[in-house]
Amino acid sequence: MARDGRDLIEVVRDVVRAAGLGPTDRLVVGLSGGVDSQTLTHVLVQLRTSGDGPELHLAHVDHRLRPGSANDAHLVSQFAHEMSLPLDVIAVDVNAWRAMQGQGVEAAARAARYAALARTACERGTTWVAVGHNLDDQVETVLLRLARGTSPDGLTGMRAVSPRSVALEPSGDTHASINLVRPLLGVRRGEIEAYAAAHGLVPIIDESNADPRFRRNAMRHELIPALERIVPGASAAIARNADLLADDADLLNSLAIAAFETCCGRLGSTVRVKRDTFRIQPIALQRRILVLVVRAVSDGIELTRERVEALRAAALSGNVGSRIEIGRGVAALVDYDAVLVGPDDRLEHQLRRSHGLPELEPGARITIERSISVS
């Protein structure tokens, strides 16, 4: 049974309904061929057959990181045929993502995978993408973020339904907005494996999932079992705490949106943060306001804690004229009563505009209609 005692199919049905997905909608399902994605696909087929679920389109991403990946694609194609579902097999270049974004193998593979799934969704005329993350994945995610250092929002882990802006290319120049749904997020891995065995599913075994060189594998096979021996039920407790923190984060984010409207204003391609109004906001809201500011001018930037704190210090006590580099051509410029955030090459122009000073646009020409002499 799932975490709250419901049948697995009931859990998936409720998540799908809560997302607003019905028989007229289309859902792209990420199918690795492992036990989670096969089970998810099988359950979604049952929902579709009963008239409760959306139209399904499968997508398999071949990361080409090991010799057997081509055979995996073949096995997945057989499974899709058995389920009578259309399938796209997409090969990605993980090394290109590593080279461009300076990521490790795991992070680069994840970025390449979501890019492929988002592109498939766009091509199939939908924004909805389903993946097979389960409750054990949630616990691993929370613990990994905690170990690396994260914001309180990071400890909320993954959401059952969440909007996401996905980079479609390693350069990050183009993005697509998708709605990511995780119908199995409240289900333990053991329950998923039991369902698969009961329905005769034969999942693909990825040997790399046992490689302790990858952090998540070490967390899964070493740390969490040790934690469960020390504190039985720790995994379930961590997942419950993530749910509680998610509710708190939703409230804080709604307050931050309201505060953003009070503190900030659009000025061309930049956002102007009023320093006096910003200073009186609680610290927790200040950080969230600045994240909203940067997202408003460039959706593709992931702010580090250091950048957030540098922006906050600038807004609170920064010297007039000081500049903070944010990344991807975006910067902040401190003025007497405000901080301007936007494209680096437009900040000086927008600052002059905010003071009512004239400035010629690049390439502008002035026509002199008569000659004058200057003594």
Side-chain angles (χ1 to χ4, degrees):
M1 303 297 285
R3 186 176 10 152
D4 55 7
R6 290 174 296 162
D7 177 80
L8 190 150
I9 294 181
E10 291 181 86
V11 172
V12 173
R13 179 187 288 113
D14 287 351
V15 173
V16 168
R17 285 178 175 173
L21 285 166
T24 61
D25 297 299
R26 181 173 296 164
L27 176 64
V28 170
V29 183
L31 179 65
S32 67
V35 66
D36 298 327
S37 63
Q38 278 201 17
T39 297
L40 175 60
T41 301
H42 193 275
V43 172
L44 288 171
V45 168
Q46 311 313 308
L47 295 182
R48 178 68 177 173
T49 302
S50 67
D52 285 342
E55 178 185 345
L56 304 175
H57 189 100
L58 306 181
H60 173 75
V61 181
D62 181 359
H63 301 89
R64 298 187 291 187
L65 292 175
R66 54 193 179 83
S69 66
N71 187 56
D72 289 352
H74 174 69
L75 295 174
V76 164
S77 297
Q78 288 183 325
F79 176 78
H81 179 73
E82 292 169 5
M83 295 290 104
S84 300
L85 292 175
L87 168 72
D88 286 344
V89 176
I90 311 107
V92 296
D93 185 355
V94 174
N95 288 328
W97 289 82
R98 290 187 69 189
M100 183 64 71
Q101 301 193 354
Q103 300 172 316
V105 174
E106 288 179 282
R110 182 169 56 251
R113 179 167 60 255
Y114 279 114
L117 293 175
R119 192 178 295 278
T120 300
C122 292
E123 292 170 352
R124 301 303 164 185
T126 184
T127 62
W128 288 99
V129 175
V131 291
H133 292 134
N134 59 48
L135 186 141
D136 295 73
D137 295 323
Q138 175 79 304
V139 174
E140 293 160 13
T141 297
V142 171
L143 289 176
L144 280 170
R145 290 179 179 177
L146 180 62
R148 285 197 303 257
T150 187
S151 66
D153 284 9
L155 296 180
T156 65
M158 300 176 284
R159 305 292 186 96
V161 181
S162 58
R164 174 177 291 200
S165 178
V166 178
L168 296 178
E169 305 291 344
S171 63
D173 292 336
T174 56
H175 285 72
S177 296
I178 63 171
N179 293 297
L180 198 62
V181 57
R182 300 178 173 96
L184 298 177
L185 196 59
V187 184
R188 298 299 301 262
R189 185 174 289 119
E191 300 171 57
I192 293 170
E193 291 169 347
Y195 179 98
H199 291 84
L201 304 182
V202 183
I204 296 170
I205 304 300
D206 183 351
E207 297 86 357
S208 66
N209 286 335
D211 189 342
R213 291 177 298 176
F214 296 115
R215 290 179 180 176
R216 185 173 288 273
N217 293 342
M219 185 76 68
R220 177 178 303 172
H221 300 297
E222 299 174 18
L223 179 60
I224 293 177
L227 184 59
E228 284 287 348
R229 287 194 298 270
I230 298 168
V231 185
S235 295
I238 291 169
R240 287 195 300 271
N241 285 336
D243 287 346
L244 293 173
L245 288 170
D247 292 338
D248 291 348
D250 288 343
L251 173 61
L252 286 170
N253 286 332
S254 67
L255 294 173
I257 291 171
F260 174 90
E261 299 297 330
T262 302
C263 297
C264 308
R266 275 281 188 181
L267 186 63
S269 57
T270 66
V271 173
R272 185 173 182 272
V273 184
K274 294 180 284 187
R275 297 177 71 178
D276 56 350
T277 311
F278 180 83
R279 287 190 184 102
I280 64 175
Q281 303 299 323
I283 293 175
L285 291 188
Q286 288 177 355
R287 295 189 178 106
R288 284 172 166 78
I289 291 167
L290 294 174
V291 171
L292 292 173
V293 167
V294 173
R295 285 178 182 169
V297 299
S298 180
D299 194 40
I301 296 179
E302 291 293 332
L303 276 179
T304 64
R305 176 178 175 82
E306 289 74 21
R307 290 297 87 195
V308 171
E309 290 306 314
L311 275 174
R312 198 168 73 85
L316 295 176
S317 56
N319 295 324
V320 173
S322 60
R323 186 183 295 262
I324 299 94
E325 299 298 328
I326 297 172
R328 295 189 183 275
V330 174
L333 182 63
V334 180
D335 194 16
Y336 292 97
D337 60 351
V339 173
L340 270 66
V341 180
D344 196 7
D345 59 357
R346 300 293 297 165
L347 287 178
E348 296 287 352
H349 172 70
Q350 298 294 2
L351 181 61
R352 291 180 66 85
R353 281 189 59 196
S354 70
H355 289 292
L357 300 174
E359 181 174 2
L360 294 179
E361 294 284 349
R365 295 184 178 184
I366 298 177
T367 302
I368 300 176
E369 297 180 350
R370 61 186 178 86
S371 63
I372 60 173
S373 60
V374 179
S375 58

